[in-house]
């Protein structure tokens, strides 16, 4: 039964092999292979049977089946039984020879099956194949190909058959007329020869060790004769290549005498093919094999062919390579192998041919010759041994070549020479020097323009890169080169033109030295002074120390130089062995801990100078020290092109002179330095000055003497007399000399012992500095205008003042010229242009002022103010530089200048560390903080930030004192949190942050105290980075919240007043921020402001009138809302005090109280109470007696009515209006009734007539204002239809008149009954309560309204009829006839109502509902829902592929809700990983993982899951139909074989068989894949 399932599976898949889609065909083949992996015998037999049964199956499909069979055979050949092998052999043989076509896929596939079987059953295969290989009959091409392939795959099995095969084949060669068939014969002969050679080479392992070469010679020669003399002449290129490919291995099997005889014709014949074929690999390979065969038999005719051979082969190497394909590279290797073969037999002739070609005009020939020469040095070392001098001599010429390609080839030849002992010969040093020269090539010259053949040099293959690698490899891997390179490489350390080679030189020397050290203690030492060509210890020390100053240049030559110094410590000086062993590693560690970007060069230079000082101290030999200084002076000119290193050399020289004992040497050295310095080089000034300054640390007197002597010489005179030692220098150069001298004095003052400098500051240092700065012309002192000289003076004055301040006696030192110097610095600062910042003069001048201010005597107050004002204006008013290439350096200079200004202001602030002192400083900054220019504000805020931090850091509060101006300062800085400039916004937060901590400090908290509330400010800075308004103002609100929590109560009002001033800020963002912060403060600290409510409301109204800005009004409204939410009654009372008529701002403030429903409710209730508290009018008589009294409206109810209108007009009041709708409607209706005919107070009548102020469009007339409010109520309360009906029917006009008022009320009630029936019960209830009003007009109005309701049928629906009748009946005895009349009218009206509408609700989608139900299930229902989960699992998983995205998304949700009920953690984790919302789903990966866990934890569900999947094989969705068989396949893949009884294989295979005919290729592909997996159950 099992075998029948296997057959069924196989035949089902084989039937599907004819699918038109290649992807389905490939999947069917893969599934067949899966069957074969599990059951190879059954699968192979099934394929055999299928092919025999389907004799007319098309060739491509037969080829696919045969290919699948070959794949199974290749991996399971050892499981194949003999009977099956015989069946397959017959099948493959038949398939292979069925047609006479040549070289088709079908025949190749059948041949491959035979070859695969032949690996184990060679005899059976050969029996069948030889049966189709009969004498006298041309065989089928596939037979020959199979024999050739068998010889390759199973040489030991095939070679014994070859004699008979060859004897049968030879006669056939003459019969073959078609070139294609001849090609097959050639390939067969090639493989036969190769397998024979392999067999003969491994006779010890062969089954028949008696086989000899001569057994094949005759047949091979006969074949050779036909191939070479007849077929090689063919015009068919493919045939010629096949012939030449066969001739190579065949030549090894030819008889020796025949080979010797044929060589004169064979070699030219093969060489001629180079001209006929672009692809020459087979030609070169065959030629190499022929040459090897000729050499192996000791051919004498080879020499006669040598010239032609060499010329042709040389051309092949030199020909430009158009591609780097493997075949082209292989051809080059084969040609070089030919040269190796020739070198073994004719080395002299070969070199005589090659070496002259090194001197040719063709670059390609030179490069190709060098390539061959390198190959010969490596591959024919024994033959080239005696030719070394000859080759070395010939290589001198290429050393002069300037072509980079030639240079690369020369370096590669030298590398080969080093490995084979050439460089140990005389003249080898020239080769080494050449390598070093290439290592010294400057990196910027490395990129080379593309050559004529389009080749471009990659950086990694540049001449320098190859040379560096070669030098290091030769030094480290070629042991024999150790004595050649050591100490010879040291000769290249000092010369400047080898600078770029220092790193590889040092690395090689270190390796060589360490190797010699390992060999013996004395072996690696070298006496530098004993070798004439080697540099002295002083030169080596100077060189390596100086180049280490910029350690990352030249591929890290700093570390390499230091390592060389370390290994050469004994050779430098015997006493340095131990100290350098400790010191150098520390320097290297420092370099390793940094990168070029992070290393501080000044710090690194100081470490090197300390290393030098310690070295001199250890040596402690004045002669050695003086000799080192002499070497350093001598080397100064060699660094003219590298000013940074020259500057460091100056510092080293100064350090060495400072350690020298001989004053004479010091004086002479300083004198020579002054005379020989290159003053025209600005960069050299600093180095010279540093040298003098360092020297002055030990020789102050001598240093000052030499400087003064130099100044007294003719150098500084403008006349160029004959006695001037600088007579050839112009005035401009004299200025540069002065600059250098002034700098020297500055460095001397900085570095010399300060206690010694103080005595000479004014008497010598400053006197000589100013003497250099100014010149006397005709006895008049004239200051220079040279900016460089001015900058040097300022820099030196800065250093001098800093030196004075650093002295221990600074506090007692009285600097008499202090005021003069400060004034001079301020003059320099004011003279600087404000449109650019090109020099550091401002910075250095302010630094000088900073140091001078701390000295005695103190500056006067006005002078202090001038310094502050002048420096602020000089820096803050600078025009920003546009983006330029040097923008980075400009920005750096500006930042340095700002830091100098900060230090100066901090120094001034330090003298008055009180809130008042801080206030004075902020007052200077305030105009800049509020500047309309963004860059000025940003700079001012930055300065403020750092000054506040300084104040905090140095704050010392001895007693608890108030920070009385906190509110003022916070109010100044906090609105800038919304500045247009991002940097300004963040700095404003920093200012507020520091001010809050200053307040805490004044409250007694320690400086290191951290306040959680204040610290939250720092977290808000990120929200200020991007200029999104919503984010900015939200952050400002958060800042205000923090301020509100930490601001003392006594500072709140001053803060608010300052904020109110900020409403007029020209920066609209800051103005808005002020409003936001005011509102926040009102919200947070509002409870404490009850007494200030009238004042705040008044200020809000005045600011609205003063300040124009669209954002001001909403902000003021919100502020009032916040205040009202805490003090509602007080705010309402304050606003009710506003004069009538309300101006637009007051109206807006009233509407602001309608924002929040609960507040609006309170406001409306208060206004209703105010409107009803007082009498609505007062009666007054006219002047004349007997006239009737007039009714005049009282003010408070009138104002309250106007306020009600404004509140009801706000759209946001809707919720509160609905809540108070009945009360408001009744109150306003009664207000209308009692104001009919009522007049305005006289003062308001005048206002209305004159139209003064901002008169509103509405009338102030009391009844009209009440009608307007009632109309607004209906519109806001959702009764628009009622208001529209009143408008159409003229009801509003009727309400305003005494005659029409009753009719107007009737129409209002009728409209309410028609359009607002549900509102009536509460309205009626409220009206009934007013029936006892003392005002007749109000009773008339309420009765008219209720009576009219009885005319509508709505009263029945609302069950109001009985209560209305009872109420009207009670009014029959009212004192007013109008009321009684209306009662009678109402009793005559009866009506009925209509039904309400019903709302319809929709249910959620079934899938999501399923998910929700599963999530909610618990307790007794869990088992029921678990059953539902299992039943729904398959459809949910499959519909993840649903084409409708919402359905797929719902399935994701439902699966995530269902999985907890399965109680499987692995499955839950898989669902969580793959089914997250928003994540793309890899369905196959997810389904595979899901099936794995299902079969592991729920194996009994296999049958149910498979049967459910079968249902979806017929889904209308292509995606689901493809997913269902894939689901089934994964289930089978992860199921155990013992679960097979759960699955109905018959049904499943039948269903999959149907799917193989599905119109969708994807469905067919998945079905085939699943069929392959069913082998587990077959």
């Amino acid at each position: 039964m099992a075998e029948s399932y296997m057959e069924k599976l196989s035949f089902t898949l084989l039937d599907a092999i004819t699918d038109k889609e290649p992807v389905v065909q490939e999947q069917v083949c893969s599934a067949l292979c899966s069957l074969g992996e599990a059951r190879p015998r059954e699968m192979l037999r099934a394929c055999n049977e299928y092919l025999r049964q389907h004799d007319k199956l098309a060739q491509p499909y037969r080829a696919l089946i045969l290919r699948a069979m070959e794949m199974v055979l290749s991996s399971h050949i050892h499981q194949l039984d003999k009977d099956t092998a015989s069946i397959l052999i017959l099948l493959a043989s038949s398939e292979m020879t069925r047609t006479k076509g040549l070289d088709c896929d079908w025949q190749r596939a059948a041949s491959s099956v035979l070859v695969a079987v032949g690996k184990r059953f060679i005899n059976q295969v050969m029996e069948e194949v030889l049966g189709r290989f009969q004498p006298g009959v041309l065989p089928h091409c596939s037979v020959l190909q199979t024999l050739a392939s068998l010889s390759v795959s199973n040489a030991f099995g095939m070679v014994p058959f070859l004699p008979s095969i060859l004897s049968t084949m030879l006669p056939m060669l003459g019969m073959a007329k078609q070139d294609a068939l001849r090609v097959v014969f050639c390939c067969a002969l090639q493989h036969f020869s190769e397998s024979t050679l392999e067999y003969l080479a491994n006779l010890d392992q062969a089954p028949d060790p008696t086989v000899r070469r001569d057994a094949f010679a005759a047949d091979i020669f006969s074949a050779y004769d036909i191939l070479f003399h007849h077929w090689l002449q063919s015009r068919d290129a493919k045939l010629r290549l096949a012939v030449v490919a066969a001739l190579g291995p065949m030549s090894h099997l030819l008889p020796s005498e025949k080979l010797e005889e044929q060589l004169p014709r064979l070699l030219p014949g093969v060489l001629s093919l180079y001209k006929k074929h672009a692809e020459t690999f087979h030609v070169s390979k065959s030629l190499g094999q022929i040459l090897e065969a000729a050499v192996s038999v000791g051919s004498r005719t080879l020499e006669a062919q040598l010239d032609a051979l060499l010329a042709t082969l040389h051309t092949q190497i030199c020909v430009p390579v158009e591609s780097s394909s493997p075949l082209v590279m292989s051809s080059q290797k084969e040609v070089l192998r030919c040269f190796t073969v020739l070198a073994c037999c004719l080395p002299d002739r070969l070199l005589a041919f090659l070496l002259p070609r090194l001197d040719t005009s063709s670059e390609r020939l030179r490069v190709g010759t060098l390539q061959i020469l390198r190959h010969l040095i490596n591959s024919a070392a024994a033959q080239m041994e005696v030719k070394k001098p000859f080759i070395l001599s010939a290589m001198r010429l290429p050393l002069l070549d300037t072509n980079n390609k030639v240079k690369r080839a020369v370096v590669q030849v030298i590398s080969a020479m080093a490995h084979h002992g050439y460089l140990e010969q005389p003249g080898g040093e020239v080769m080494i020097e050449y390598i070093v020269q290439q290592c010294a090539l400057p990196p910027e010259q490395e990129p080379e323009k593309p050559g004529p053949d389009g080749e471009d040099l990659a950086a990694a293959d540049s001449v320098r890169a190859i040379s560096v690698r070669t030098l290091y490899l030769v030094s480290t891997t070629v042991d024999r080169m150790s004595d050649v390179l050591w100490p010879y490489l040291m000769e290249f350390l000092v010369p400047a033109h080898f600078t770029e080679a220092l790193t590889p030189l040092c690395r090689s020397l270190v390796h060589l030295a360490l190797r010699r050290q390992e060999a013996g203690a004395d072996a690696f030492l070298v006496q530098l002074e004993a070798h004439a060509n080697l540099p002295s210890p002083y030169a080596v020390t100077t060189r390596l120390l100086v180049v280490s100053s910029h350690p990352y240049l030249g591929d890290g030559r700093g570390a390499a130089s230091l390592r060389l110094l370390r290994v050469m410590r004994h050779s430098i000086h015997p006493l340095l062995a131990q100290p350098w062993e400790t010191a150098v590693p520390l320097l290297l560690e420092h370099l390793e801990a940094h990168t070029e970007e992070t290393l501080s060069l000044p710090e690194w230079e100081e470490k090197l100078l300390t290393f030098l000082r310690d070295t001199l101290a250890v040596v402690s030999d004045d002669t050695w020290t003086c000799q080192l200084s002499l070497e350093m002076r001598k080397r100064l000119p060699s660094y003219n092109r590298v000013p940074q290193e020259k500057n460091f050399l100056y510092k080293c020289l100064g350090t060495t002179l400072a350690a020298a004992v001989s004053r004479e040497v010091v004086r002479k050295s300083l004198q020579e330095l002054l005379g020989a310095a290159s003053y025209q080089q600005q960069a050299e000034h600093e180095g010279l000055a540093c040298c003098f300054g360092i020297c002055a640390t030990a020789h102050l007197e001598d240093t000052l003497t030499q400087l003064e002597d130099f100044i007294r010489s003719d150098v500084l005179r403008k006349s160029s007399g004959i006695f001037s030692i600088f007579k050839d220098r112009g005035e401009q150069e004299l200025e540069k000399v002065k600059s250098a001298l002034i700098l020297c004095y500055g460095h001397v003052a900085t570095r010399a012992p300060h206690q010694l400098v103080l005595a000479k500051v004014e008497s010598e240092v400053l006197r000589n500095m100013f003497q250099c700065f100014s010149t006397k012309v005709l006895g008049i002192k004239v200051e220079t205008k040279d900016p460089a000289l001015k900058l040097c003076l300022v820099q030196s004055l800065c250093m001098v003042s800093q030196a004075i301040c650093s002295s221990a006696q600074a506090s007692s030192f009285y600097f008499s010229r202090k005021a003069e110097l400060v004034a001079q610095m301020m003059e320099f600062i004011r003279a600087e242009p404000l449109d650019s910042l090109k020099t550091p003069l401002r910075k250095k001048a302010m630094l000088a002022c900073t140091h001078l201010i701390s000295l005695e005597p103190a500056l006067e107050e006005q002078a202090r103010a001038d310094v502050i004002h002048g420096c602020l204006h000089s820096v803050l008013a600078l025009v920003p530089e546009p983006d330029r290439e040097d923008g980075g350096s400009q920005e750096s200079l500006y930042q340095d200048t700002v830091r100098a200004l900060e230090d100066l202001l901090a120094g001034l602030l330090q003298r008055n560390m009180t809130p008042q002192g801080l206030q004075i400083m902020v007052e200077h900054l305030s105009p800049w903080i509020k500047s309309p220019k963004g860059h000025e504000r940003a700079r001012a805020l930055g300065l403020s930030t750092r000054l506040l931090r300084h104040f905090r850091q140095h704050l010392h509060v001895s007693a608890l004192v108030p920070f009385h101006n906190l509110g003022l300062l916070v109010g100044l800085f906090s609105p800038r949190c919304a500045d247009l400039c991002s940097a300004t916004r963040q700095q404003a937060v920093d200012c507020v942050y520091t001010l809050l901590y200053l307040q805490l400090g004044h409250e007694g908290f320690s400086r290191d105290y951290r306040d959680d509330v204040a610290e939250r400010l720092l977290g808000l800075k990120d929200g200020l980075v991007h200029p999104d308004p919503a984010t900015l103002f939200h952050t400002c609100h958060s800042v205000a919240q923090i301020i509100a929590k930490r601001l003392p109560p006594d500072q709140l009002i001053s803060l608010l007043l300052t904020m109110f001033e900020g409403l007029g800020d020209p920066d609209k963002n800051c103005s808005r921020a002020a409003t936001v912060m005011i509102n926040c403060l009102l919200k947070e600290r509002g409870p404490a402001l009850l007494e200030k409510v009238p004042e705040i409301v008044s200020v809000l109204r005045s600011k609205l009138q003063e300040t124009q800005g669209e954002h001001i009004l909403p902000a003021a409204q919100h502020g009032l809302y916040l205040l009202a939410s805490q003090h509602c009654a007080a705010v309402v009372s304050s606003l009710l005090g506003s004069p009538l008529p309300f101006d637009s701002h007051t109206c807006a403030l009233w509407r602001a109280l309608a924002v929040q429903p609960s507040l609006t409710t309170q406001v409306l209730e208060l206004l209703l109470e105010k409107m009803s508290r007082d009498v609505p009018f007062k009666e007054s008589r006219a002047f004349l007696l007997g006239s009737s009294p007039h009714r005049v409206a009282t003010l408070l109810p009138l104002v309250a009515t106007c306020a009600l209108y404004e509140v009801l007009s706000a759209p946001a009041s809707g919720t509160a209006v609905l809540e108070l709708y009945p009360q408001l409607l009744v109150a306003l209706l009664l207000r209308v009734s009692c104001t009919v005919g009522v007049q305005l107070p006289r003062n308001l009548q005048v206002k209305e007539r004159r139209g003064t102020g901002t008169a509103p469009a509405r009338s102030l007339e009391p009844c009209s204002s009440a009608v307007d409010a009632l109309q607004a109520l209906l519109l806001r309360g959702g009764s628009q239809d009622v208001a529209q009906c009143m408008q159409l029917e003229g009801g509003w006009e009727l309400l305003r008149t005494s005659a029409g008022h009753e009719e107007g009320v009737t129409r209002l009630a009728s409209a309410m009954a028609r359009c607002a029936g549900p509102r009536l019960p509460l309205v009626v209830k409220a009206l009934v309560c007013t029936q006892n009003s003392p005002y007749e007009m109000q009773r008339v109005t309420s009765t008219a309204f209720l009576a009219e309701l009885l005319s509508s049928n709505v009263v029945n629906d609302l069950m109001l009829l009985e209560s209305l009748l009872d109420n009207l009946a009670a009014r029959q005895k009212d004192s007013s006839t109008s009321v009684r009349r209306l009662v009678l009218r109402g009793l005559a009206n009866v009506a009925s109502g209509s039904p309400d509408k019903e709302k319809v609700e929709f249910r959620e989608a079934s899938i999501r509902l399923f998910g929700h139900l599963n999530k909610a299930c618990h307790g007794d229902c869990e088992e029921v829902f678990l059953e539902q989960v299992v039943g729904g699992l398959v459809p949910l998983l499959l519909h993840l592929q649903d084409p409708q995205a919402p359905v797929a998304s719902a399935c994701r949700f439902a699966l995530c809700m269902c999985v907890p009920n399965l109680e499987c953690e692995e499955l839950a984790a898989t669902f969580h990983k793959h089914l997250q919302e928003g994540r793309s789903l890899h369905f196959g990966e997810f389904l595979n993982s899901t099936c794995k866990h299902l079969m592991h934890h729920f194996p009994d569900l296999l049958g149910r899951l498979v049967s459910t999947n079968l249902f979806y094989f017929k889904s209308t969705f292509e995606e689901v139909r493809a997913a269902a068989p894939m689901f089934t396949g994964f289930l089978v893949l992860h199921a155990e074989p013992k679960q097979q009884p759960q699955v109905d294989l018959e049904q499943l295979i039948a269903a999959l068989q149907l799917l193989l005919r599905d119109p969708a290729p994807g469905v067919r592909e998945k079905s085939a894949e699943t069929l392959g997996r069913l082998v587990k159950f077959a």
Side-chain angles (χ1 to χ4, degrees), residues 438-444 446 459 462 464-469 499-507 547 550-561 563 591 596:
Q438 306 317 305
C439 292
L441 288 173
E444 62 270 13
E446 278 303 305
S462 66
R464 183 176 184 274
I466 291 177
S467 302
V468 168
R469 292 199 299 269
T499 298
E500 292 297 334
L502 274 176
T503 300
L505 279 172
C506 290
R507 288 174 179 168
V547 298
H550 287 74
Y552 298 105
L553 294 179
D555 300 326
R557 62 177 175 234
S561 299
R563 290 189 177 96
L591 285 182
E596 187 171 3

Side-chain angles (χ1 to χ4, degrees), residues 211-248:
V211 175
R212 293 291 180 264
R213 185 187 306 267
D214 51 12
F216 307 92
D219 291 334
I220 291 295
F221 178 73
S222 299
Y224 162 84
D225 186 62
I226 295 175
L227 266 62
F228 180 72
H229 291 99
H230 301 283
W231 292 3
L232 188 60
Q233 316 307 320
S234 172
R235 294 181 181 180
D236 187 278
K238 191 173 182 181
L239 176 56
R240 289 198 302 269
L241 287 178
V243 169
V244 79
L247 290 177

Side-chain angles (χ1 to χ4, degrees), residues 359-429:
D359 183 17
T360 178
S361 60
S362 171
E363 166 209 303
R364 293 175 182 169
L365 294 180
R366 300 198 303 274
V367 172
T369 303
L370 289 167
Q371 185 179 352
I372 296 168
L373 192 58
R374 180 190 63 171
H375 178 76
L376 293 176
I377 291 172
N378 286 324
S379 64
Q383 288 76 19
M384 297 294 112
E385 181 66 29
V386 296
K387 310 298 180 183
K388 288 179 179 178
F390 187 42
I391 295 175
L392 277 170
S393 176
M395 279 296 296
R396 288 180 174 270
L397 186 61
L399 299 184
L400 305 176
D401 205 310
T402 59
N403 184 280
N404 275 354
K405 295 177 183 176
V406 176
K407 283 184 176 183
R408 290 209 311 276
V410 170
V411 172
Q412 291 167 345
V413 171
I414 295 174
S415 176
M417 287 179 166
H419 284 80
H420 294 281
Y422 286 71
L423 303 187
E424 302 164 28
Q425 303 289 325
E429 294 88 350

